[in-house]
Amino acid sequence: MPQTYRDPEENLPEWLRALRKRQEEEAAASQPEPPAEEGRTEEPGWLSEIRQRYRTSSLEQDAEAETAALEDTQPRPPGRTESEPIQEPLPEPEEISPFSDSEPVLEEAAPAFPTEEPASQPAFADDPGDETSHPVVPAFSEDPEALGAEMPGWLESLRPDEGFPLEDERSEAMLPESGPLPTGPLADLSDALPASEIGQMGKPPEFSTRLEATASQRQHAAVLKELLQTEQQSAAEGQPPPLPARMLGMIISALLFLAVLFPLLSGSQSADRPEPSFFPEAGRLFNNIDVLPAGAPVLLAFELQPARYGEVAPAAAAVMRHLLDRQARLVFISTEETGPALAERLLAEQFANTPAISTGSYTNLGYLSGGVAALRSFISDPRGAVLGTPEREDPWAAAPLEGIQHLRDFALILVVSGDADTTRAWVEQGAIELPGGLFAATSAQAGPLLRPYLHSDPVTLRGLVSGVHGAVVYERLRGQDGLGRQYWDAYSYGLGSMALLILLGGLYSRLLQAQAEVKPAPGGGSHGP
Amino acid sequence: MVLDLDFIGLLVAAVLTLVVLSYALGDHPIFRFVLYLFIGVSAGYAAAVAVQDVVFPQLVYPILDELNAAPSLDLAELGVRVLLVVMLLAKLSPRTARLGNPATSLLAGVGAALAVGGAAQGTILPQIGSAAGSFDMASFNLAWQGGYYLEAIEVIFNGIVLVLATVSTLAYFHFGAVSRGKQEPLRNLLVDSLAWLGGFFIAIALAALFSGVLLAALGALVERLDFLQRTLSLLLGAP
Amino acid sequence: MNWRVHTPVAAAVAIVSGGLVLASLLIPGLDEARNRVLNWAILLAALGLLLGLANLFRVHWEKLRNRQNPAYSGVLIAAMLVTFAVTLWEGSRAELPSWIFNNIQVPIETSLMAVLAASLTLAAARMFQKRSDRISLTFGIALFIILLGSGPLFGMEIPFFTRTLTPIVSGFLAAGALRGLLIGVALGTLLTGLRVLVGADRPYGG
Amino acid sequence: MNFSAEHLIGLALALLIILSFVGRDNPRRAFRSIKAFKELRRSIELSVEDGSQLQISLGRDGVLGPHSAAAFAGLTLLNQVANTAADSDQPPIATTGDPALMLMAQDTLRHAYQRLEIPEHYHPLLGQATGLTPFSYASGSLAQLLDGSVSASALVGHHAEEAALISTASGTRGAFSLGGSPDLSGQALLFASTDEPLLGEEVYATGAYLDAGPAHQASLRAQDVLRWVIILAVLITAGLPLLEGLL
């Protein structure tokens, strides 16, 4: 049986361990002395300084250290360092991108290592195998030379001479057991924690103390916590989170599950249902479908992933049932790999007995790979977009689709989606080609985000049904019961328990927090997900 | 006893559902096992669908057609596609990875262009345009002419709140400030005041969005527990 | 200087292809060229999934070889290869791939989403342990109001919340801020995208 | 005048170019404090010093999705982190659900190692696709967190509800977590479940706040200018019908 909790070192992938080993061997071979003391010839200056900083005590900062710690929440002004005057610029390169950051950065710091590179040979033409011999090839910095050599400005601003809280006499008191750690990564590190906080950190806190801390504690103790966290990680992982926190997680999960299960097991269907008149966006969708002529081609962009299937199915099924009752010709498309399969699943689960479905009188255009790019391509030219099927059939050859040249030739476009983004992508990319806008049946989470589009000018989203709630509204509009009704009571009990649990759980958390503020807490991790 | 594939599938789905839901009570090795199973299955499925729906029709079939002397694409287009694919495959090894940069740069360029176009055309301009409806002037005129002055003022008030929420939210994120040496940088009074107000509106908007995610997850939970309950009923032979 | 020296082809490809696609969105008549470029990108993205598959295989093969939670990595590799082979061979709509999809992938994924109901409830309850600032407090109060009005609680609707207060909070007060957030995110997108299009950002390697 | 997308993009481009040169040496220019970036810096530093591993989660999809720009912001973060921490005991690891983004993350890391003159220490598996779909990507990152091999997570990129699996597990393991996503639903849940959330458009400010270069800072300043242009446009668009109605 594999171990559940392991030491982070132990859990390092083998390739990373091998890398580390190689790194250590090389370091041992080339640097017999500790790097911070000797200063590696290959080590960039900024890294030496970081190492040096954590090994050097400074006695001169208390109040200033606090200020400086706050100061690093902002980037330094563009193109300069606060600590250093602008230095002599390096010679202007012959050709420079207008967006190259070479000027300011080069002004700030001279390269720590030489950047002798071929002046004109394109990297693409270089022998790839030779790439290790080229010292500076930035990934996407604006000026590779400068970035390669300089210490990031924000890091520079934290150097000892600029007031970053360094190790001082408080550090020993803060560290576990008031003594230097004999081994491990914390062996010679320190931190800056105000004396007022020391009492709370007097003994080694548990790994999960972080979440029990107040904002103030967190602000001041962030560094020490990070250090302790790593140091004690393996030990803490072997221990369960504190009982109160574990209990909270378990109680919330158990109560929520029970609240949802109760109406399902009892078969209750008595919960109040929402009044459709309060949801005009659902009414607009209903009205537009209700006037469709028989055989009208309707495009369903089935942008669904399995995670959202269960929740979106009631709303999608309610609208699709209406479409099938109006004898619309359904055409499915999806930019999600799983969209076509989920469309088939919904058809099989809910509409297997409907004549149009059982006889296969619908078209599944399949999956459009390429995200927004593919969508853009499809919207501007549906027929030209790549729509391969394994059988290499031309889906557009079927009689009902013969007349479709443009997207606007569809009588109605419905986006069935689990999130607002895919619906937004359709709305945004189709803003020009679809002046009439489109409709959507989505997850509850997309609802708030799509509302602004319902009122945009020109109107890009004309109607919307979202979540189980939307399904119930639509079913009421149609006077039919469906999945929405089936789930509604459980949903209602789940909603009630969620509101209650958040309120009571929040109060309980505050109580725990208040206790932790009064006396040092042994831990405060959470339990469960 | 003959077990048909559908029935086994139902059992498998029910067991997997139970294992994953049990994670809510705490992590355990069986959950991890299911997690890795899921990663494997979903990766295999996604890659196969992509190959089947895109790579075959866009690349493999045209090459086969070309080899069979029945070209379905012009040679230059096919050549570019093959070249791009070879470049991308060069990314498999660190030694040849740089050869593939043009292929990834094409993706980056196209992605950036679509993002820029979508943001400007699809979001910023329509959302500015939608501000025109902030004040429901039709309702205002109706109320005013009918002597419902309080309602008319309410319409105006609503519009002001709507516009203020948008403006203050935008102002909240204003990044520029004046450096004050060791102290925190300061924004100007107008921006700071608007930003203070914007904080409230942002919190409310985030709460609305968070509730949406909560309700979506609740919907999924209801569906799963309903599925488990129905499966159990089926197994127990209940009607 | 350097981008020209080191990444002339890559940067040029990004700028030209991106510029063309962007221009085609704004200027009519470039549709054909745009669709051609988009199709190349689509092909590359699809092929990328195979590279992703190779990456996953390699990570877990290493783990398997080094007996680092080998059972987990073993099941991942086996599931991945079997699903890939079966789906590719039979087609995604065939019986066996559909069975795997409908009875393994969908239940697990939907259940993970369902688990979020508990974990997000817990996260919301515990948020005040992390932060108790003005925005968090407003968030908590607004969330509670919205939940009370999102439907009937334990079967009973509270009309004051469902019809009055919650629509004001989630529909009216949030609407303006959502518009602001959407515009703000779009602004960030616009500028970040432009940085790539002019070659100032080169996330495609140098 | 009718303000169209061409005008908006042209204005943004012009501002980006002009502000790359104008006013960047003004010592009084700064950006407001954002606590999340401060904590992120600490985490980066500590990963250098204490051997803890920083996981940069770049998101569920990216390059061809509507949120490619956020993925690029995540890559900027990765670049800056790698500049600092590539040489540490446990170098930063990048995870994503988008293979194309994985390739870019690998490129970013590879070049960081080259810059630091330790190209032999680079390994392609430092950039991983932990899954090829959103939830499987989150599951892969979750598994890494549960295994205890990661001590801090920065989620910068397109994340939606699946990110809660990562952020809540981070809380469980006591790992520091920071989150920013262009997906507003994702943002809301990261707000509730991470230690340090990045709100709204702050995710795009990553480069400027981590000193990735003047173009990043110029673009943030351009964003500010455009912000007020848009505010003005909103006020005019909303106010005109009101004035017409009242007059």
Side-chain angles (χ1 to χ4, degrees):
Chain A
M1 178 65 66
Q3 258 184 282
T4 308
Y5 303 113
R6 299 179 64 168
D7 183 275
E9 288 289 318
E10 225 178 291
N11 276 286
L12 278 181
E14 187 57 30
W15 57 268
L16 197 49
R17 260 188 275 175
L19 260 180
R20 176 93 57 80
K21 197 176 164 191
R22 196 168 66 196
Q23 209 170 339
E24 281 163 7
E25 281 169 6
E26 284 168 12
S30 62
Q31 301 158 16
E33 297 292 320
E37 282 156 31
E38 189 192 323
R40 290 186 304 174
T41 49
E42 288 184 7
E43 186 175 74
W46 56 269
L47 193 52
S48 305
E49 287 193 39
I50 293 176
R51 292 190 196 286
Q52 187 65 38
R53 189 174 75 224
Y54 280 92
R55 287 177 168 80
T56 311
S57 288
S58 169
L59 301 172
E60 60 188 6
Q61 68 284 31
D62 262 331
E64 199 177 316
E66 297 287 328
T67 318
L70 273 176
E71 195 180 292
D72 67 357
T73 63
Q74 36 164 309
R76 291 166 312 108
R80 58 176 283 277
T81 58
E82 282 179 13
S83 59
E84 292 176 0
I86 295 172
Q87 294 173 4
E88 193 73 19
L90 288 184
E92 192 74 354
E94 276 181 25
E95 293 175 338
I96 193 155
S97 158
F99 298 96
S100 164
D101 63 357
S102 61
E103 291 137 277
V105 179
L106 286 176
E107 283 161 15
E108 285 167 20
F113 47 84
T115 55
E116 291 173 12
E117 48 197 313
S120 58
Q121 189 182 4
F124 181 60
D126 286 351
D127 174 10
D130 197 27
E131 68 184 43
T132 56
S133 64
H134 294 291
V136 182
V137 187
F140 63 105
S141 65
E142 287 110 67
D143 187 323
E145 279 179 347
L147 256 187
E150 73 158 359
M151 175 206 296
W154 55 268
L155 202 50
E156 194 173 6
S157 70
L158 296 175
R159 290 188 311 181
D161 59 344
E162 291 175 30
F164 182 78
L166 299 188
E167 191 172 61
D168 59 26
E169 61 273 23
R170 292 174 304 169
S171 305
E172 283 196 3
M174 288 184 280
L175 288 173
E177 309 304 330
S178 297
L181 296 166
T183 55
L186 290 183
D188 53 358
L189 301 188
S190 66
D191 189 20
L193 189 68
S196 62
E197 310 279 357
I198 291 173
Q200 299 186 24
M201 307 296 283
K203 61 178 191 174
E206 298 234 350
F207 179 49
S208 47
T209 301
R210 157 183 311 282
L211 295 181
E212 297 287 339
T214 62
S216 156
Q217 284 173 320
R218 284 180 45 72
Q219 188 172 359
H220 294 298
V223 177
L224 183 60
K225 278 183 205 165
E226 289 286 347
L227 299 182
L228 293 175
Q229 167 189 313
T230 309
E231 181 73 1
Q232 298 178 345
Q233 188 163 347
S234 58
E237 276 168 4
Q239 300 166 1
L243 189 65
R246 195 167 69 229
M247 289 297 288
L248 181 63
M250 289 182 79
I251 289 172
I252 283 182
S253 301
L255 287 179
L256 185 61
F257 282 27
L258 286 175
V260 173
L261 261 177
F262 169 69
L264 290 175
L265 291 174
S266 65
S268 158
Q269 290 205 345
S270 58
D272 296 338
R273 287 191 290 171
E275 180 57 50
S277 58
F278 287 96
F279 305 95
E281 65 274 12
R284 282 198 292 273
L285 175 58
F286 175 85
N287 291 338
N288 274 273
I289 292 177
D290 223 36
V291 296
L292 283 179
V298 172
L299 182 71
L300 281 96
F302 219 80
E303 307 289 7
L304 210 49
Q305 290 169 353
R308 281 90 172 235
Y309 174 79
E311 196 243 341
V312 177
V319 180
M320 282 165 66
R321 192 173 300 284
H322 193 189
L323 285 169
L324 288 170
D325 287 351
R326 297 295 314 163
Q327 297 180 328
R329 169 82 188 195
L330 303 187
V331 181
F332 295 89
I333 185 79
S334 179
T335 59
E336 303 278 357
E337 295 99 341
T338 49
L342 290 172
E344 297 285 353
R345 181 183 166 119
L346 187 63
L347 291 176
E349 276 182 357
Q350 298 295 321
F351 306 105
N353 299 326
T354 309
I357 303 306
S358 57
T359 56
S361 305
Y362 64 93
T363 308
N364 196 338
L365 294 176
Y367 162 56
L368 264 178
S369 174
V372 181
L375 183 56
R376 178 77 235 175
S377 180
F378 179 79
I379 285 174
S380 61
D381 180 17
R383 283 176 173 264
V386 180
L387 296 169
T389 63
E391 300 80 24
R392 303 183 69 181
E393 290 167 349
D394 178 8
W396 301 98
L401 298 184
E402 272 176 343
I404 304 289
Q405 296 297 329
H406 303 100
L407 214 58
R408 56 179 172 272
D409 294 331
F410 284 104
L412 187 138
I413 296 174
L414 177 78
V415 182
V416 178
S417 167
D419 58 38
D421 272 344
T422 40
T423 316
R424 259 180 64 190
W426 273 89
V427 167
E428 288 181 1
Q429 302 296 331
I432 295 193
E433 278 82 359
L434 298 169
L438 40 78
F439 298 86
T442 69
S443 156
Q445 72 181 80
L449 263 169
L450 293 174
R451 290 198 181 280
Y453 290 95
L454 285 168
H455 309 294
S456 65
D457 182 26
V459 175
T460 44
L461 184 64
R462 293 174 66 192
L464 174 69
V465 174
S466 61
V468 178
H469 188 278
V472 173
V473 169
Y474 204 86
E475 284 169 9
R476 280 197 79 179
L477 278 167
R478 296 211 63 217
Q480 285 183 353
D481 283 350
L483 280 176
R485 188 75 193 94
Q486 189 179 323
Y487 294 168
W488 189 238
D489 281 49
Y491 185 82
S492 160
Y493 277 68
L495 180 64
S497 56
M498 261 181 175
L500 209 60
L501 290 169
I502 288 176
L503 180 70
L504 296 178
L507 291 174
Y508 178 69
S509 296
R510 280 309 295 170
L511 198 68
L512 285 182
Q513 179 60 23
Q515 283 177 348
E517 283 167 12
V518 172
K519 58 178 183 179
S526 66
H527 173 74
Chain B
M1 181 181 166
V2 179
L3 293 175
D4 71 283
L5 210 57
D6 286 344
F7 186 71
I8 297 172
L10 201 65
L11 286 182
V12 169
V15 169
L16 292 174
T17 299
L18 263 179
V19 171
V20 176
L21 290 183
S22 69
Y23 174 63
L25 301 173
D27 176 34
H28 54 85
I30 304 174
F31 169 70
R32 298 275 192 98
F33 188 84
V34 170
L35 217 53
Y36 282 89
L37 172 75
F38 167 57
I39 298 168
V41 166
S42 59
Y45 188 83
V49 170
V51 170
Q52 205 175 65
D53 285 3
V54 183
V55 178
F56 280 173
Q58 281 224 44
L59 189 73
V60 178
Y61 295 153
I63 290 175
L64 291 177
D65 291 341
E66 189 68 38
L67 292 175
N68 291 333
S72 53
L73 269 181
D74 69 82
L75 206 57
E77 170 70 22
L78 190 60
V80 171
R81 288 186 189 187
V82 171
L83 181 67
L84 285 171
V85 166
V86 169
M87 282 179 180
L88 197 71
L89 291 177
K91 290 276 176 195
L92 279 169
S93 161
R95 292 181 65 83
T96 54
R98 288 173 71 186
L99 291 168
N101 286 353
T104 43
S105 70
L106 179 93
L107 286 169
V110 171
L114 290 170
V116 167
Q121 231 165 27
T123 300
I124 298 178
L125 294 178
Q127 289 305 325
I128 292 175
S130 67
S134 302
F135 296 96
D136 186 356
M137 294 315 292
S139 302
F140 172 81
N141 288 331
L142 213 62
W144 193 262
Q145 283 157 13
Y148 295 95
Y149 300 117
L150 213 61
E151 281 75 6
I153 291 169
E154 191 189 330
V155 168
I156 301 295
F157 175 77
N158 288 348
I160 290 172
V161 172
L162 204 60
V163 173
L164 200 61
T166 305
V167 167
S168 63
T169 299
L170 279 166
Y172 177 91
F173 293 107
H174 183 90
F175 296 101
V178 176
S179 173
R180 297 188 301 163
K182 296 283 183 193
Q183 289 178 293
E184 288 198 25
L186 196 68
R187 297 189 290 194
N188 77 45
L189 193 63
L190 170 72
V191 176
D192 250 358
S193 312
L194 275 173
W196 186 86
L197 191 64
F200 284 108
F201 286 116
I202 289 169
I204 292 169
L206 288 178
L209 293 164
F210 187 80
S211 69
V213 183
L214 262 182
L215 297 179
L218 176 62
L221 179 64
V222 171
E223 190 269 342
R224 280 296 87 192
L225 291 179
D226 179 60
F227 164 74
L228 282 179
Q229 182 256 333
R230 280 187 288 113
T231 308
L232 195 68
S233 301
L234 192 74
L235 288 175
L236 297 176
Chain C
M1 178 182 75
N2 283 290
W3 70 266
R4 294 193 185 191
V5 172
H6 288 290
T7 62
V9 178
V13 168
I15 293 168
V16 170
S17 60
L20 177 70
V21 173
L22 184 59
S24 72
L25 297 178
L26 307 172
I27 305 163
L30 293 170
D31 291 7
E32 197 187 328
R34 176 192 59 207
N35 288 342
R36 196 171 274 245
V37 174
L38 289 183
N39 279 343
W40 295 340
I42 290 163
L43 174 63
L44 288 175
L47 209 73
L49 281 169
L50 284 181
L51 268 63
L53 207 67
N55 179 276
L56 259 180
F57 179 84
R58 196 170 165 190
V59 168
H60 290 278
W61 179 251
E62 295 274 354
K63 285 186 176 180
L64 194 63
R65 218 163 44 107
N66 297 299
R67 307 214 163 277
Q68 201 185 356
N69 287 335
Y72 296 153
S73 293
V75 77
L76 186 148
I77 289 176
M80 185 170 79
L81 294 181
V82 168
T83 310
F84 181 70
V86 167
T87 309
L88 199 60
W89 183 256
E90 295 197 1
S92 59
R93 292 177 207 173
E95 192 179 8
L96 194 52
S98 295
W99 188 92
I100 294 173
F101 178 76
N102 284 317
N103 297 304
I104 296 179
Q105 187 173 346
V106 175
I108 296 177
E109 204 166 325
T110 316
S111 303
L112 283 171
M113 182 76 188
V115 163
L116 289 185
S119 53
L120 288 177
T121 304
L122 180 62
R126 298 187 67 236
M127 194 187 68
F128 290 108
Q129 277 181 275
K130 298 180 198 171
R131 292 186 297 273
S132 51
D133 52 87
R134 178 175 63 96
I135 294 186
S136 302
L137 195 66
T138 313
F139 175 90
I141 294 168
L143 177 64
F144 192 63
I145 292 172
I146 293 169
L147 285 181
L148 290 187
S150 292
L153 307 177
F154 300 109
M156 282 178 299
E157 190 176 294
I158 311 173
F160 173 67
F161 281 99
T162 53
R163 296 180 186 184
T164 310
L165 198 54
T166 297
I168 288 175
V169 174
S170 69
F172 174 57
L173 292 178
L178 281 172
R179 186 176 290 160
L181 284 169
L182 277 173
I183 293 174
V185 167
L187 257 183
T189 302
L190 181 68
L191 269 303
T192 308
L194 282 177
R195 280 206 311 269
V196 174
L197 288 178
V198 298
D201 253 3
R202 292 185 299 281
Y204 35 81
Chain D
M1 189 187 87
N2 200 8
F3 198 69
S4 67
E6 296 95 294
H7 296 127
L8 183 64
I9 294 168
L11 180 61
L13 190 61
L15 283 169
L16 184 60
I17 293 170
I18 292 166
L19 294 175
S20 292
F21 296 100
V22 176
R24 66 183 183 191
D25 293 333
N26 185 342
R28 285 175 58 76
R29 281 192 193 280
F31 294 122
R32 69 181 163 94
S33 295
I34 297 178
K35 187 164 167 269
F37 287 120
K38 171 188 152 191
E39 296 296 334
L40 178 62
R41 288 173 187 178
R42 297 239 189 275
S43 293
I44 297 169
E45 281 200 326
L46 289 163
S47 77
V48 174
E49 277 309 311
D50 67 7
S52 61
Q53 190 164 54
L54 191 63
Q55 183 190 55
I56 313 285
S57 296
L58 295 169
R60 62 200 320 233
D61 55 41
V63 183
L64 288 184
H67 295 305
S68 58
F72 298 147
L75 287 170
T76 303
L77 168 66
L78 181 64
N79 187 51
Q80 296 306 94
V81 171
N83 277 340
T84 309
D87 197 24
S88 66
D89 285 346
Q90 289 202 41
I93 188 165
T95 61
T96 171
D98 179 17
L101 200 51
M102 171 198 81
L103 296 175
M104 291 183 189
Q106 288 173 350
D107 281 338
T108 301
L109 289 168
R110 185 163 50 85
H111 287 285
Y113 280 79
Q114 284 175 353
R115 266 197 305 280
L116 297 174
E117 294 188 314
I118 48 169
E120 67 280 8
H121 292 169
Y122 166 74
H123 195 288
L125 296 188
L126 288 168
Q128 292 181 13
T130 51
L132 301 187
T133 62
F135 262 81
S136 64
Y137 145 67
S139 299
S141 297
L142 170 68
Q144 285 185 346
L145 279 163
L146 293 175
D147 285 341
S149 58
V150 168
S151 67
S153 299
L155 296 92
V156 175
H158 180 205
H159 291 92
E161 73 274 10
E162 74 284 345
L165 286 175
I166 306 173
S167 57
T168 51
S170 284
T172 307
R173 317 307 301 173
F176 171 77
S177 60
L178 169 145
S181 169
D183 181 301
L184 297 186
S185 296
Q187 223 175 79
L189 64 89
L190 289 173
F191 177 78
S193 59
T194 57
D195 294 308
E196 291 298 336
L198 289 171
L199 299 178
E201 61 201 84
E202 286 173 355
V203 68
Y204 299 103
T206 308
Y209 275 73
L210 295 183
D211 282 2
H216 288 266
Q217 295 176 338
S219 83
L220 213 55
R221 287 163 58 200
Q223 211 167 308
D224 275 349
V225 175
L226 279 176
R227 177 188 322 283
W228 291 97
V229 171
I230 288 171
I231 286 175
L232 203 65
V234 166
L235 290 174
I236 292 171
T237 313
L240 273 180
L242 178 68
L243 281 177
E244 281 170 11
L246 292 177
L247 295 176

